[in-house]
Amino acid sequence: MSSVNPDHEHAVRMATAANAAGDNTWFERLYADARAGAGPEVPWRREQPNARLVRTVDSPGTGRALVVGCGYGHDAGYLAALGYAVTAFDLSATAVAAAAETYAGVEFAAASVLTPPAEWRRAFDLVFEAYTIQVLRAANRAAATAAIADFVAPGGRLVVTGFAARPDDPAPRIAQPLTRAEIDAFATGGLVQDGVELLAPDADALPDRWHWLAGFHRPLSIED
């Protein structure tokens, strides 16, 4: 019996063509087709928050939180339930609309990490990034990394997770796993790295995928 996931293969074909053309709008087409019943399901859809977010942020909190590349919003809903005032965004307006129907207490926005609203700069006490950087290519990866780091307010923290690059990785198709240097690159613009873990595959991830889990913080300035 074949183990190929047809939904994933459909997304791979879309991503391959879009990356060759330098086009990131394929995400919106994928979500819109799935919502309309005109195409396969979004292959990474899940109905629970990211296990590495739950592991890292597991107690009630206050302040503003931002979820990058929120998809269907389950991570945002989790943080809102903990007490955070949550903003979450995704490139796909269709994904954002679906998330808003599920989590009424979250402020959702359709936006690009490459051109975020100016008012988000250093505005959030907690920022969560999962899997956004790894689907970008070339210079967009560094630009998005710097933008995400700049969301963190003085005294705030950033949690990053994503697939880890390994020597035996197959050629990238949708996600191009992150190297340790790319994880370390989030320590920019005054952000300080608190620690990095390399986590073995688990039930929440693809069976052959290792993950990075990294934390960063922005120190309070003297004026603060």
Side-chain angles (χ1 to χ4, degrees):
M1 180 180 296
S2 173
S3 61
V4 173
N5 180 329
D7 293 349
H8 185 265
E9 293 305 307
H10 174 76
V12 165
R13 290 192 294 272
M14 293 183 71
T16 300
N19 286 333
D23 175 17
N24 286 328
T25 64
W26 71 274
F27 284 104
E28 169 58 16
R29 296 197 302 275
L30 183 68
Y31 279 101
D33 287 352
R35 186 171 174 86
E41 182 54 88
V42 176
W44 50 82
R45 180 168 189 165
R46 50 185 167 78
E47 300 303 325
Q48 62 281 325
N50 187 289
R52 282 152 294 283
L53 172 62
V54 174
R55 166 180 170 162
T56 307
V57 185
D58 59 358
S59 58
T62 58
R64 299 185 68 193
L66 180 71
V67 177
V68 180
C70 64
Y72 288 113
H74 302 306
D75 298 330
Y78 171 77
L79 292 176
L82 287 179
Y84 289 93
V86 182
T87 299
F89 74 97
D90 198 281
L91 188 63
S92 168
T94 298
V96 164
E101 292 172 0
T102 305
Y103 299 105
V106 173
E107 177 186 359
F108 288 101
S112 169
V113 70
L114 299 175
T115 55
E119 61 267 25
W120 289 358
R121 183 175 187 269
R122 302 196 178 183
F124 297 94
D125 304 293
L126 172 64
V127 177
F128 180 58
E129 148 59 9
Y131 311 126
T132 306
I133 299 297
Q134 66 189 29
V135 300
L136 300 175
R137 298 293 187 267
N140 284 346
R141 291 167 79 98
T145 296
I148 291 169
D150 209 34
F151 293 142
V152 181
R157 62 174 173 151
L158 166 67
V159 177
V160 176
T161 189
F163 296 156
R166 297 177 64 78
D168 57 350
D169 275 336
R173 301 203 297 166
I174 296 179
Q176 189 173 56
L178 303 177
T179 65
R180 174 60 191 263
E182 288 177 309
I183 289 293
D184 292 343
F186 282 95
T188 185
L191 228 57
V192 176
Q193 187 178 94
D194 297 316
V196 180
E197 295 181 78
L198 181 60
L199 304 179
D202 59 33
D204 184 58
L206 295 176
D208 59 345
R209 277 299 178 205
W210 291 64
H211 275 75
W212 295 116
L213 177 60
F216 304 82
H217 77 277
R218 184 179 304 285
L220 290 169
S221 68
I222 295 174
E223 291 79 9
D224 294 319

